[in-house]
Amino acid sequence: AEVKCLYHAKFGADAGPKDDTYASKLHRCQDSLCELEAMFAQKYGHDINDVDEDVCVWIETTGHSRMETLEEKLAEVKCLYYEKFGTSAESEDAAYDSQLQRCEKSLNELEALFAQKFGHDINNVDEDGSMWIEMTGHICRETLEEKLAEVKCLY
């Protein structure tokens, strides 16, 4: 009796016979796990089993995806555009692209004519509007210095 009193004083429970079989321990452990999973879901807003091996949370969504919703809205806008203007937006885009290509071709031809007439590229202009022309060959001073060096070698 004295041992039971000391046990009760130390552990706060009677030292009576307990059901310490494997099955009962497993059942208590499973109950604790269920409580833990419920607390996790309450705190983080998703089930603990939604986490993969990389600790990423996978959340299942239902209904339309964001992309599907955007595609539906785009289709609706295209229909409204056609109703208002009598042509599709894609044909307008194609016409714009075609016109843009014609303008770029004309610009390239104009640049070529400019280079042919003035002897330099139209894009060789700095931020001050000054034209920079590349010179090839020797300039007059370099030629004079070379000739002077030749003359010095002769004496």
Side-chain angles (χ1 to χ4, degrees):
E2 184 180 340
V3 173
K4 285 185 180 183
C5 287
L6 291 173
Y7 184 88
H8 181 45
K10 184 168 185 172
F11 296 107
D14 291 334
K18 289 189 176 179
D19 185 16
D20 285 339
T21 64
Y22 175 77
S24 67
K25 287 181 181 180
L26 180 62
H27 183 63
R28 285 193 309 269
C29 185
Q30 288 173 337
D31 288 344
S32 295
L33 180 61
C34 288
E35 289 176 23
L36 180 66
E37 287 178 347
M39 288 189 303
F40 183 91
Q42 183 180 3
K43 181 171 183 175
Y44 295 106
H46 59 84
D47 191 65
I48 196 167
N49 296 320
D50 292 339
V51 179
D52 67 6
E53 64 274 357
D54 296 326
V55 195
C56 291
V57 177
W58 291 89
I59 300 172
E60 180 180 346
T61 57
T62 57
H64 292 292
S65 71
R66 179 88 171 130
M67 189 65 171
E68 289 172 338
T69 305
L70 290 174
E71 288 172 349
E72 288 173 0
K73 287 182 180 180
L74 177 61
E76 182 182 344
V77 168
K78 286 180 179 181
C79 288
L80 292 171
Y81 184 91
Y82 184 78
E83 287 175 8
K84 182 168 184 169
F85 298 106
T87 181
S88 69
E90 285 87 7
S91 64
E92 294 288 325
D93 289 344
Y96 173 79
D97 289 343
S98 175
Q99 184 178 2
L100 182 62
Q101 288 176 352
R102 286 193 304 273
C103 287
E104 287 175 346
K105 183 178 177 186
S106 295
L107 180 62
N108 290 336
E109 291 172 2
L110 180 63
E111 287 177 349
L113 289 171
F114 183 92
Q116 182 181 358
K117 181 172 184 174
F118 295 104
H120 56 83
D121 190 345
I122 197 170
N123 295 318
N124 291 343
V125 178
D126 67 7
E127 62 275 354
D128 297 328
S130 300
M131 186 68 65
W132 289 88
I133 301 172
E134 182 179 347
M135 301 293 290
T136 58
H138 297 288
I139 59 172
C140 196
R141 182 176 176 188
E142 289 176 346
T143 306
L144 290 174
E145 287 176 354
E146 286 176 5
K147 288 186 179 187
L148 179 61
E150 288 176 18
V151 170
K152 286 182 179 179
C153 287
L154 293 175
Y155 290 103

